[in-house]
Amino acid sequence: MRRVVVALVAALVVGGGVGPVRAAESVAYGREGARAYYPDVERIVCEINQERVRRGLVALGISDAASGVARAHARDMAKQGELSGVGSDGRDLRTRLADAGLYSAYVSEYMLAGYHHDGYFADMATDPDPRNEFYKVLMDRKVSAIGIGYDRDYWDVDLLGPHRKLVTRAPACVRD
């Protein structure tokens, strides 16, 4: 099984700016019958939001609809065995979102592969290293909502700016 973490592969900025949700609907089982990794989107978004608040930004809301779009694209990338901003059906992020009734002047997509631990993924997402483009977009004031999809090592993270019809909810954060 591939354990190599693929660095941030693609950032696609489209069109002029850029109860708990699970990242995938299906449950995968390994060869030994043990349950495979399944991200805790709530925890990941809570950690991203802690960093946003430290920087004086508003917390991101989770868009369940955007998460559905991201899950479908992650599943498609897993089936194709490659990271791509364009799905096997030829649709790009803006088209996939529009087909789900999601609109925003600012959308951005990050596709990653190989992260198998919520903490590791969250650490990468909140690492302020100047070379970390994913962090920069997550901390952008234009971003107000996030959708996260995962399937068999493939992640699709969709970020949206505000829109009057965009429905989001706060993540369920556990305080220590």
Side-chain angles (χ1 to χ4, degrees):
M1 176 181 261
R2 179 181 48 165
R3 293 286 179 189
V4 176
V5 175
V6 177
L8 180 62
V9 171
L12 175 62
V13 178
V14 182
V18 162
V21 157
R22 292 294 182 189
E25 294 171 342
S26 61
V27 176
Y29 289 88
R31 279 180 254 182
E32 298 80 34
R35 188 176 179 134
Y37 170 71
Y38 207 70
D40 182 346
V41 172
E42 304 290 325
R43 174 184 176 197
I44 292 168
V45 176
C46 288
E47 291 191 34
I48 291 167
N49 282 342
Q50 286 175 1
E51 180 68 13
R52 284 181 62 91
V53 169
R54 273 193 290 273
R55 293 177 51 93
L57 301 168
V58 298
L60 295 178
I62 295 174
S63 167
D64 292 331
S67 290
V69 170
R71 277 192 303 273
H73 189 59
R75 187 176 305 117
D76 186 51
M77 289 189 297
K79 282 170 59 174
Q80 300 304 316
E82 66 180 357
L83 295 167
S84 176
V86 177
S88 61
D89 60 3
R91 296 183 306 153
D92 64 5
L93 175 62
R94 178 78 62 191
T95 304
R96 292 189 306 269
L97 292 171
D99 289 350
L102 294 168
Y103 306 94
S104 177
Y106 181 91
V107 298
S108 182
E109 177 177 44
Y110 277 79
M111 294 147 285
L112 306 105
Y115 293 90
H116 299 94
H117 186 275
D118 296 340
Y120 187 71
F121 185 87
D123 286 348
M124 182 273 309
T126 59
D127 179 2
D129 184 303
R131 298 167 294 181
N132 186 349
E133 295 299 320
F134 188 40
Y135 175 84
K136 290 176 187 175
V137 151
L138 287 168
M139 300 302 134
D140 191 320
R141 291 184 188 282
K142 296 177 202 161
V143 176
S144 63
I146 188 168
I148 299 177
Y150 176 86
D151 193 297
R152 293 171 282 163
D153 291 347
Y154 288 86
W155 294 78
D156 189 46
V157 180
D158 296 346
L159 302 162
L160 295 91
H163 186 274
R164 63 187 174 82
K165 293 184 178 181
L166 181 61
V167 176
T168 64
R169 64 177 179 77
C173 300
V174 177
R175 300 205 194 284
D176 293 328

